[in-house]
């Protein structure tokens, strides 16, 4: 089973590119900063902010797919929806007839045949 690393969240930007940014703009710069200046949280936060900005700009550069358009007639859609609702209602009534009324009628018929056989 393949595990999802969580990096390939933007279509058009490869996971390799995101990992490269993570390595160069976050890991390497943070390591260099810690080695030269020690552990300074504000400096580390600045490095992460710059990497985040870089990734956001990378995402903005990608062409966004066009906004989907509705290619059906809304009047026809409403008419078909109303028909579907009516058909579903009829299906419920048919199911009720099959499950409850029909067995009762069959039983009554069987009882009626028994009465006429005796006479």
């Amino acid at each position: 089973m393949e595990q999802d690393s969580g990096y390939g969240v933007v279509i058009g930007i490869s996971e390799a590119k995101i990992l490269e940014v993570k390595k160069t703009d976050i890991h390497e710069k943070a390591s260099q900063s810690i080695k030269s200046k020690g552990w300074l949280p504000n400096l580390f936060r600045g490095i992460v902010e710059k990497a985040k900005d870089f990734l956001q700009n990378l995402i903005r550069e990608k062409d966004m797919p066009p906004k989907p358009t509705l290619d059906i007639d809304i009047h026809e859609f409403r008419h078909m929806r109303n028909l579907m609702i009516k058909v579903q209602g009829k299906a419920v009534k048919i199911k009720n007839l099959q499950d409850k009324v029909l067995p009762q009628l069959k039983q009554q018929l069987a009882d009626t045949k028994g009465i006429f056989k005796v006479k």
Side-chain angles (χ1 to χ4, degrees), residues 85-97:
I85 291 169
K86 287 180 184 177
V87 168
Q88 286 174 340
K90 300 290 183 185
V92 168
K93 290 179 182 177
I94 291 170
K95 181 90 170 122
N96 182 40
L97 287 172

Side-chain angles (χ1 to χ4, degrees), residues 63-79:
D63 292 333
M64 297 302 286
K67 187 175 182 178
T69 57
L70 187 63
D71 57 348
I72 62 168
D73 180 21
I74 195 68
H75 177 70
E76 182 181 352
F77 171 78
R78 287 183 180 145
H79 177 68

Side-chain angles (χ1 to χ4, degrees), residues 5-48:
S5 64
Y7 293 116
V9 292
V10 178
I11 296 173
I13 300 176
S14 69
E15 183 176 340
K17 180 68 175 172
I18 293 172
L19 289 173
E20 177 187 328
V21 169
K22 178 185 172 204
K23 181 180 177 189
T24 58
D25 288 348
I26 298 175
H27 182 71
E28 288 178 4
K29 287 183 181 179
S31 294
Q32 289 171 359
S33 172
I34 291 170
K35 286 177 187 173
S36 64
K37 297 179 175 89
W39 177 252
L40 299 174
N42 289 335
L43 189 57
F44 179 74
R45 190 176 298 120
I47 292 169
V48 172

Side-chain angles (χ1 to χ4, degrees), residues 53-118:
D53 292 341
F54 179 80
L55 285 172
Q56 285 177 336
N57 289 333
L58 187 66
I59 291 169
R60 286 186 191 115
E61 289 173 3
K62 289 294 170 190
D63 292 333
M64 297 302 286
K67 187 175 182 178
T69 57
L70 187 63
D71 57 348
I72 62 168
D73 180 21
I74 195 68
H75 177 70
E76 182 181 352
F77 171 78
R78 287 183 180 145
H79 177 68
M80 295 300 284
R81 185 189 62 196
N82 291 338
L83 288 176
M84 181 190 70
I85 291 169
K86 287 180 184 177
V87 168
Q88 286 174 340
K90 300 290 183 185
V92 168
K93 290 179 182 177
I94 291 170
K95 181 90 170 122
N96 182 40
L97 287 172
Q98 286 177 334
D99 293 345
K100 295 180 181 173
V101 177
L102 186 60
Q104 290 173 352
L105 291 174
K106 285 182 178 180
Q107 184 61 42
Q108 287 176 3
L109 180 63
D111 294 342
T112 307
K113 286 182 181 176
I115 293 173
F116 290 116
K117 285 182 183 178
V118 174

